[in-house]
């Protein structure tokens, strides 16, 4: 019998477990710390598994990240022959579409200004900019970046995107590679970061790159907190180079109570909730991948360890 070990949020784990037992009664599903026989575990579904856990699974075949990224994993602690699969499932995609759309529309329609004006009991209409005149750029044109672009298109925004390899997306001005970053940034009134965190993208939102944005641009960071140099953001907001930021991710998480982001009048923060793995849909995707693996087919969402995503 195939044995699966789940080590992530235990409440959601119970939903995973019931879906597995309904759909695949031949698979043993264990929720950490109940592990069954460790020597028999072939599939690990985990968020931040301790290195000694991986080392204690001699028969491990695949490691499934329970989240969209893999930056929380110590890849060096995972045997080279064990594929690592990130979570690509409809629940995460839908959540990110909602959050990115909410944030773009909030910035486009000056919500940060109106929150401040309400606090000051000030009635002061701001001229509405047509969507076609608002340039929205997405860093990262992967599963999530492209889904967000697709949904923003019908609003009429002027869209551009940036990725590592060239893309052709109807209605989106696509840029690829580090040498095109400045040109891309120069045309983003609203910049969304949807990159994975890798050695190449850490601190990519820094003093230099923020200075390349048009004056008064706004930032949405839904990638990872470590994409952003925090002091660079504060300086850019204070100088007027940036007008506002919506941050779903930060370093550390949770952010300490004394951190200047909490009370900055031009920053809106949420506690890393832009999108979450939904057990109802994610369990089916992992089950499908287990079947694929057992049939010798390619795993959907397998990462390239060399690229780091
Ligand atoms: N805040 C939240 O709640 C939340 C939820 C889910 C995910 N996320 C974040 O969103 C990230 C993206 O997820 P995804 O599923 O869209 O990932 P993905 O499908 O792997 O796409 C990543 C995109 O980033 C691009 N990229 C990577 N490194 C780059 C570099 N050095 N220069 C330029 N472009 C680069 C890739 O370019 P290529 O296409 O050329 O490979 C690709 O287009 C996740 O890694 C995670 O950090 C956050």
């Amino acid at each position: 019998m195939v044995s699966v070990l789940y080590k992530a949020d235990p409440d959601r784990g119970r939903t995973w477990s019931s879906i597995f037992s309904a759909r695949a009664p031949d698979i043993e599903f264990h929720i950490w710390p109940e592990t069954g026989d460790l020597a028999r575990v072939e599939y690990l579904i985990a968020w931040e598994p301790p290195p000694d856990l991986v080392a204690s699974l001699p028969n491990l075949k695949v490691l499934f990240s329970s989240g969209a990224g893999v930056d929380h994993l110590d890849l060096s602690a995972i045997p080279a022959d064990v594929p690592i699969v990130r979570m690509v499932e409809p629940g995460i995609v839908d959540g990110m579409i909602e959050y990115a759309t909410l944030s773009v529309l909030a910035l486009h329609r000056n919500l940060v200004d109106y929150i401040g004006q309400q606090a000051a009991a000030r009635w002061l209409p701001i001229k509405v900019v047509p969507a076609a005149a608002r340039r929205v750029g997405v860093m990262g044109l992967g599963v999530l970046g492209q889904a967000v672009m697709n949904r923003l298109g019908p609003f009429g925004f002027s869209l551009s995107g940036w990725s590592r390899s060239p893309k052709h997306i109807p209605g989106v001005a696509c840029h690829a590679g580090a040498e095109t970053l400045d040109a891309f940034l120069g045309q983003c009134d609203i910049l969304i970061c949807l990159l994975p965190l890798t050695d190449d993208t850490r601190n990519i939102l820094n003093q230099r790159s923020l200075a390349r944005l048009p004056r008064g641009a706004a930032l949405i960071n839904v990638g990872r907190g470590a994409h952003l140099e925090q002091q660079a953001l504060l300086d850019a907001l204070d100088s007027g180079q940036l007008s506002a930021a919506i941050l779903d991710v930060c370093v550390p998480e949770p952010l300490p109570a004394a951190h200047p982001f909490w009370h900055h009048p031009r920053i809106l923060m949420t506690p890393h909730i832009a999108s979450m793995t939904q057990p109802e849909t994610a369990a089916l995707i992992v089950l499908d991948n287990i079947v694929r693996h057992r049939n010798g087919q390619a795993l959907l969402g397998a990462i390239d360890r060399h690229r780091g995503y």
Side-chain angles (χ1 to χ4, degrees):
M1 206 180 204
V2 178
S3 179
V4 173
L5 176 59
Y6 170 98
K7 188 188 181 305
D9 178 77
D11 283 343
R12 294 198 234 170
R14 280 184 273 285
T15 306
W16 281 80
S17 177
S18 60
I19 292 170
F20 266 71
S21 55
R23 301 273 182 145
D26 54 323
I27 295 181
E28 275 178 32
F29 191 93
H30 300 279
I31 301 176
W32 175 272
E34 188 281 307
T35 63
D37 179 1
L38 288 172
R40 291 188 45 245
V41 172
E42 292 180 56
Y43 301 99
L44 175 63
I45 304 163
W47 182 259
E48 297 184 338
D52 56 340
L53 171 62
V54 174
S56 69
L57 305 176
N59 207 16
L60 183 64
K61 302 267 193 313
V62 181
L63 170 57
F64 292 101
S65 168
S66 62
V70 294
D71 50 284
H72 56 287
L73 297 171
D74 176 2
L75 300 187
S76 67
I78 299 154
D81 61 341
V82 172
I84 301 163
V85 178
R86 67 201 187 82
M87 191 57 72
V88 181
E89 64 93 12
I92 290 189
V93 176
D94 290 347
M96 187 55 79
I97 290 171
E98 288 176 3
Y99 189 96
T101 306
L102 169 82
S103 303
V104 167
L105 291 177
L107 293 167
H108 172 57
R109 295 305 305 266
N110 309 100
L111 193 67
V112 174
D113 299 274
Y114 290 125
I115 290 171
Q117 290 185 193
Q118 180 168 352
R122 193 143 44 105
W123 184 278
L124 184 62
I126 299 167
K127 188 168 170 283
V128 174
V129 174
R134 190 78 78 184
R135 298 166 298 175
V136 179
V138 177
M139 300 174 93
L141 293 174
V143 172
L144 298 179
Q146 293 203 31
V148 164
M149 284 288 185
N150 284 341
R151 201 58 72 91
L152 288 177
F155 287 103
F157 294 114
S158 168
L159 299 175
S160 62
W162 184 71
S163 55
R164 217 168 58 106
S165 58
K167 300 271 182 287
H168 301 283
I169 306 172
V172 180
C174 295
H175 305 255
E179 62 287 0
T180 67
L181 180 59
D182 287 359
F184 161 74
L185 292 172
Q187 55 183 40
C188 297
D189 299 318
I190 297 175
L191 175 68
I192 306 174
C193 177
L194 254 173
L195 290 166
L197 183 63
T198 66
D199 290 346
D200 290 336
T201 64
R202 188 176 302 278
N203 290 331
I204 195 164
L205 302 169
N206 54 36
Q207 189 272 332
R208 197 194 150 281
S209 59
L210 296 181
R212 295 293 175 277
L213 293 166
R215 189 161 177 83
L219 171 70
I220 299 165
N221 189 14
V222 272
R224 289 287 182 256
H227 284 131
L228 174 67
E229 277 186 10
Q230 301 189 349
Q231 191 57 49
L233 174 64
L234 292 169
D235 292 345
L237 289 169
D238 292 347
S239 72
Q241 167 57 14
L242 287 193
S243 58
I246 297 183
L247 307 176
D248 182 54
V249 284
C250 56
V251 177
E253 293 180 3
L255 205 57
H259 196 283
F261 282 1
W262 280 120
H263 300 292
H264 198 291
R266 312 293 314 173
I267 295 178
L268 298 183
M269 291 203 42
T270 50
H272 201 147
I273 48 71
S275 74
M276 290 176 195
T277 300
Q278 299 298 333
E280 293 79 3
T281 36
L284 299 178
I285 295 287
V286 169
L287 260 175
D288 178 55
N289 251 338
I290 290 175
V291 172
R292 295 177 71 86
H293 182 255
R294 299 195 81 71
N295 291 337
Q297 293 170 285
L299 292 161
L300 303 177
I303 66 138
D304 176 336
R305 287 186 189 229
H306 181 65
R307 290 186 321 190
Y309 69 97

